[in-house]
């Protein structure tokens, strides 16, 4: 991260400053890692960046990202995955506690933060494990995790054993003002499933995860959050009914936010029709009705954030029959592009997409993502129309199993700045 | 590659629509299914000869790759391959490499090094044979001998052959499938075949716990009450009930299941008088079927076994000739390109 007194001016193109609509870029001046001026056209700068034909937006914030460090070097590491994040326009990623060892102690949190500050291309905000070892049974040292720099606590993609433990987790987290992040799934109902329990699973004989595995958990979590008063963030929703319950909870005044993975907004269980293990994800891709409701949830602001749910794997983890493969997509580099396809199809506004990728998620972790005077110069510049070809050669992540491969996508990333320093540039 | 093409046909058919793998009945049309039945018919005669061999697969190596043990299916495949004059290797993988942690991809690489021409595969995971067909060297045919809950296409086709022998065809037939449809790859393939071949009605008879979500989308109606479901039937196909089903809280007891869904003479009397009784075997007498019915005049269970060999000979020879045709096509393509 470059924090010299060198100045850079970005001119041309359109600007999204974190809220409202896009407008013509009045010229940005960056000095000392900060946005020194917006619309200060006259001031002299050491260098210029011409963003004509591009969109300039706050750097994206990912609430759900697996960096695989410590412990899973064969799948990825902080250096490789933050580079991939920067390539995707992300300037801040929240690191999932599902590492090895699990991030359930301040020592592991420090390890992640040190690795991120020495080798990371973007900012890394660790999420602590809410239960020890993510086992869903014993409370972790949440106060210690917070002091070490965890921005929230959660159980990764794993469930919590029972409602009593969940209730105590929430009450304890609330004591320290910690946000709890849960991917809602009732483990007994999900059982051994790995696909949406619908027509595709029935035809292909796949073990299904019924919608009620999610909706029952959402309801339980909402009731417990209301009772304990904790700030609840529901992560990676997949069902139409969950969006409905979320909206109702908001109306009741429950402090709840939510996110959805980009692939849930784009794909359905039809992606599994050829037994394609790449699309083995958890929660599973569901029906077209669910997909539409999730997009509507983002459009209407019921869902605050879109996440990558980036889960890079080594090829052996994915080169297996569907049931034997590990869940997850290497997705962080194509989040924007898939979102732009939704914009092109008229399902989502560009400004709403960018909000759900930047200021929306930032506010969940009590941060701000905006291009405004005095803010850190975390931003990205991309061409909406410009195409790029995701492939094993162009993806920077160690995981080569992107949701789209060898088909060109809109949204070519030109430049990603973190604190004014170049985190990624197409100029090399 | 496959993500955006949900039809399995790019995998199992050649450009000219010939079979090159046999993975599922999904996407195979009536003409091809009829072709399989007709070819099998011609092989039945071979089984009646004193010397039961034809040279169609002479010099070819067929590997029976069973990741899930099954004596009977494997034996009929072995017999079918031998009657086609192939060399046969039986590998029971369920007890060897995979338990040592070798991945499926690695197992395959090793077997391919033995220069086989065809793998007959049974696997406990749905779609495993698709995965294998996508990863094997071109020219090697994959025959599905049952994958997870997905498909058991040779079983369904031998059932169709048996029905055609007894009923003359499929038009207007009312067929019921009774029992554990949720876990059954046989039922999924049967429903698909009956729909494609033009049966009038396919009924799924089972309690709700043994039916997959949205089972009607497969092309059948649902009947919980077996007495109602037996009415006007031409064919009743029973399924095997695994003992584990009691443990998963899917059924209370074998006794209650037998009382409600077991086929006895009394229930059979509710169907048409010439209704045939089928079962993919091995049968659980007194669990899903009464001995008097299994051994009775309407039972065609042993015909099914005989037909199994003919159907497997048909599918193996068709897939091998599809692979050969494809190879020749490719050779002539590259030949033309070279000119």
């Amino acid at each position: 991260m470059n924090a010299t007194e060198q100045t850079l001016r970005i001119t041309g193109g359109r600007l999204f400053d974190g809220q409202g609509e896009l407008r013509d870029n009045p010229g940005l001046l960056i000095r000392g890692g900060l946005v020194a001026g917006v619309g200060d056209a006259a001031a002299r700068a050491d260098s210029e960046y011409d963003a004509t034909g591009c969109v300039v937006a706050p750097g994206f914030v990912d609430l759900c990202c697996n960096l695989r460090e410590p412990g899973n070097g064969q799948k990825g590491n902080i250096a490789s995955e933050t580079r991939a994040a920067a390539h995707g326009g992300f300037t801040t990623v929240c690191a999932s506690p599902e590492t090895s060892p699990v991030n359930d102690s301040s020592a592991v949190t420090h390890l992640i933060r040190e690795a991120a500050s020495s080798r990371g291309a973007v900012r890394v905000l660790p999420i602590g494990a809410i239960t020890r070892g993510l086992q869903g049974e014993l409370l972790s040292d949440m106060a210690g995790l917070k002091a070490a720099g965890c921005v929230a606590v959660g159980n990764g993609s794993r469930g919590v054993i029972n409602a009593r433990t969940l209730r105590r987790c929430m009450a304890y987290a609330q004591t320290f003002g910690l946000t709890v992040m849960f991917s809602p799934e009732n483990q007994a109902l999900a059982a051994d499933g790995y696909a949406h329990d619908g027509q595709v699973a029935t035809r292909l004989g796949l073990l299904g995860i019924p919608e009620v595995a999610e909706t029952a958990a959402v309801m339980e979590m909402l009731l417990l959050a209301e009772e304990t008063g904790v700030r609840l963030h529901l992560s990676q929703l997949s069902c139409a009914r969950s969006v409905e319950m979320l909206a109702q909870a908001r109306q009741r005044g429950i402090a709840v936010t939510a996110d959805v993975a980009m692939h849930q907004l784009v794909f359905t269980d039809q992606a599994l029709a050829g037994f394609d293990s790449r699309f083995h994800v958890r929660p599973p891709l569901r029906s077209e009705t669910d997909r539409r409701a999730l997009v509507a949830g983002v459009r209407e602001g019921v869902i605050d954030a879109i996440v990558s749910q980036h889960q890079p794997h080594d090829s052996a983890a994915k080169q297996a029959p569907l049931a034997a493969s590990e869940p997850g997509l290497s997705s962080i580099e194509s989040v924007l592009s898939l979102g732009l396809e939704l914009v092109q199809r008229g399902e989502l506004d560009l400004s709403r997409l960018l909000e759900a990728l930047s200021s929306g998620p930032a506010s969940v972790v009590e941060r701000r993502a905006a291009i405004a005077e005095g803010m850190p110069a975390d931003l990205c510049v991309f061409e909406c129309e410009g195409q790029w070809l995701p492939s094993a050669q162009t993806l920077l992540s160690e995981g080569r199993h992107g949701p789209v491969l060898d088909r060109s996508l809109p949204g070519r990333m030109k430049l990603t700045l973190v604190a004014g320093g170049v985190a990624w540039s197409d100029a090399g | 590659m496959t993500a955006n093409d949900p039809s399995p046909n790019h995998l199992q058919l050649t450009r000219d629509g010939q079979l090159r793998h046999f993975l599922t009945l999904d996407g195979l049309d009536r003409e091809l299914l009829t072709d399989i039945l007709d070819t099998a018919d011609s092989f039945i005669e071979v089984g009646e000869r004193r010397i039961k061999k034809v040279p169609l697969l002479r010099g070819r190596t067929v590997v029976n790759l069973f990741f899930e043990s099954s004596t009977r299916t494997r034996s009929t495949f072995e017999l079918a391959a031998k009657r086609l004059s192939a060399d046969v290797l039986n590998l029971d993988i369920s007890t060897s490499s995979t338990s040592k942690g070798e991945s499926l991809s690695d197992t395959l690489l090793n077997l391919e090094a033995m220069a086989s021409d065809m793998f007959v595969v049974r696997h406990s995971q749905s779609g495993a044979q698709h995965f294998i067909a996508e990863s094997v060297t071109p020219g090697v045919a994959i025959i599905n001998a049952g994958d997870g809950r997905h498909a058991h296409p040779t079983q369904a086709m031998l059932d169709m052959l048996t029905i055609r022998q007894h009923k003359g065809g499929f038009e207007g037939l009312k067929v019921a499938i009774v029992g554990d449809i949720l876990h059954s790859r046989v039922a999924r393939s049967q429903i698909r075949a009956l729909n494609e071949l033009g049966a009038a009605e396919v009924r799924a008879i089972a309690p709700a716990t043994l039916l997959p979500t949205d089972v009607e989308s497969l092309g059948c109606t649902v009947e919980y009450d077996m007495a109602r479901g037996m009415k006007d039937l031409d064919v009743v196909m029973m399924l095997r009930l695994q003992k584990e089903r009691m443990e998963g809280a899917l059924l209370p007891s074998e006794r209650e299941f037998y009382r409600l869904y077991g086929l006895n003479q009394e229930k059979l009397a509710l169907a048409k008088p010439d209704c045939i009784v089928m079962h993919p075997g091995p049968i659980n007498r007194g669990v899903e079927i009464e001995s008097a019915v299994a051994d009775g005049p309407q039972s065609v269970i042993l015909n099914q076994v005989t037909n199994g060999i003919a159907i497997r000979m048909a599918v193996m020879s068709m897939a091998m000739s599809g692979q050969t045709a494809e190879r020749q096509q490719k050779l002539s393509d590259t030949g033309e390109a070279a000119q």
Side-chain angles (χ1 to χ4, degrees), chain A residues 274 276 278-279 405-406, chain B residues 1-6 10-11 133-135:
Chain A
D276 192 335
R278 230 166 5 119
F279 290 96
L405 291 173
D406 304 315
Chain B
M1 184 167 57
T2 54
N4 304 317
D5 181 7
H10 72 286
L11 257 184
E134 280 171 340
S135 27

Side-chain angles (χ1 to χ4, degrees), chain A residues 194 197-199 201-208 267 270-271 273-276 278-279 318-324 407, chain B residues 1-7 26 104-105 123 125-128 130-131 134 147-151 188 212-215 217-218:
Chain A
Y194 50 84
D197 194 24
Q199 289 186 9
T202 290
R203 184 162 53 81
L204 299 183
L206 307 178
L207 272 61
F267 302 102
Q270 292 295 333
F275 292 101
D276 192 335
R278 230 166 5 119
F279 290 96
K318 279 297 193 184
Q319 285 296 325
L322 192 60
R407 168 171 79 77
Chain B
M1 184 167 57
T2 54
N4 304 317
D5 181 7
S7 101
D26 281 359
L104 182 52
S105 308
H123 200 283
Q125 285 164 346
S126 302
H130 270 74
F131 171 77
E134 280 171 340
D147 63 324
R149 301 177 180 185
H150 171 232
R188 283 175 177 80
T213 301
D214 231 340
V215 64
S217 67
L218 296 174

